[in-house]
Amino acid sequence: MNIAFKTDIGRVRAVNEDSVLVRHDVGGYALAIVADGMGGHQAGDLASQMAIDMIREELRPIHTGMSKEQCKQAIQAAIENANRDIFEFASNREEYHGMGTTVVAVAASGDYAVIGHVGDSRAYKINSESMEQLTEDHSLVNELVKSGQITREEASHHPRRNVVTRALGTEPTIKVDVLELNWQQGDMLLLCSDGLSSLVRSDVIFDIVLADSGLEDKVERLVGEALAAGGDDNISVILIANDTRKQDRDEMG
């Protein structure tokens, strides 16, 4: 598995409330997580980092000898437990009341990937034929689009496009969307916060990801496009290629 990632504070925010994690080998899986925090008094960056740390620790025992269903259950439980712990932490500290974070987490083997998510951070599957959004945003504008009140185009610049309807840490329990997909050599998974997806058109993302360049260059260009479009939010990108070329990076961001 070849993986590259980048997180950037953007041009407007005072703090980067996004957190990312990449691990190339967790029991044979590649593990990647993006969390986009929210809340005043630097609570957002704390919430996203807590989510990353807790989910990573909970998923330490996973391995490719388990079934897909067991992997799905492990990811669901890890996110649910992180939600519970963040909620309890915030409930006991007045300055952190209301803090929360989105999360999209992927455990990928050479044959399949399992994805768990809450909020509006996204996962896409990309290959030479298509770019498919795998996750459904838990957001106000997505609800408005589904109900026909606004169009998809209007959603991209709606003044409340950053409002999420589901997040880790804001309620004692949470519903986690978990899915699995088969993928093969040449396929790529893109994980990102809405600092990318709300500012850069899908066709531009698709062209950059398919460009004849290394993964590091692709993530740099994706972040650069979001910055050029205004950079009004933190931007985080993880790109995972299902191939056997040399791994680009093997650290946490």
Side-chain angles (χ1 to χ4, degrees), residues 95-150:
E95 68 271 27
Y96 293 133
H97 282 184
M99 82 176 192
T101 182
T102 72
V103 69
V104 56
V106 174
S109 72
D111 301 319
Y112 66 92
V114 175
I115 302 168
H117 98 103
V118 174
D120 62 354
S121 293
R122 293 180 178 179
Y124 296 89
K125 178 184 173 184
I126 303 171
N127 55 35
S128 58
E129 277 83 44
S130 65
M131 172 172 166
E132 177 188 1
Q133 182 178 332
L134 302 170
T135 52
E136 181 179 348
D137 293 349
H138 304 138
S139 66
L140 174 64
V141 293
N142 191 48
E143 293 299 323
L144 295 174
V145 169
K146 289 197 298 182
S147 65
Q149 296 180 61
I150 63 173

Side-chain angles (χ1 to χ4, degrees), residues 187-203:
D187 289 344
M188 285 180 274
L189 290 174
L190 170 66
L191 277 61
C192 65
S193 62
D194 69 329
L196 177 75
S197 58
S198 69
L199 288 178
V200 183
R201 296 197 322 267
S202 295
D203 61 313

Side-chain angles (χ1 to χ4, degrees), residues 8-26:
D8 192 283
I9 194 171
R11 299 194 184 280
V12 175
R13 301 295 178 90
V15 175
N16 190 348
E17 295 186 320
D18 288 1
S19 296
V20 300
L21 177 135
V22 166
R23 288 289 183 267
H24 280 280
D25 189 359
V26 179

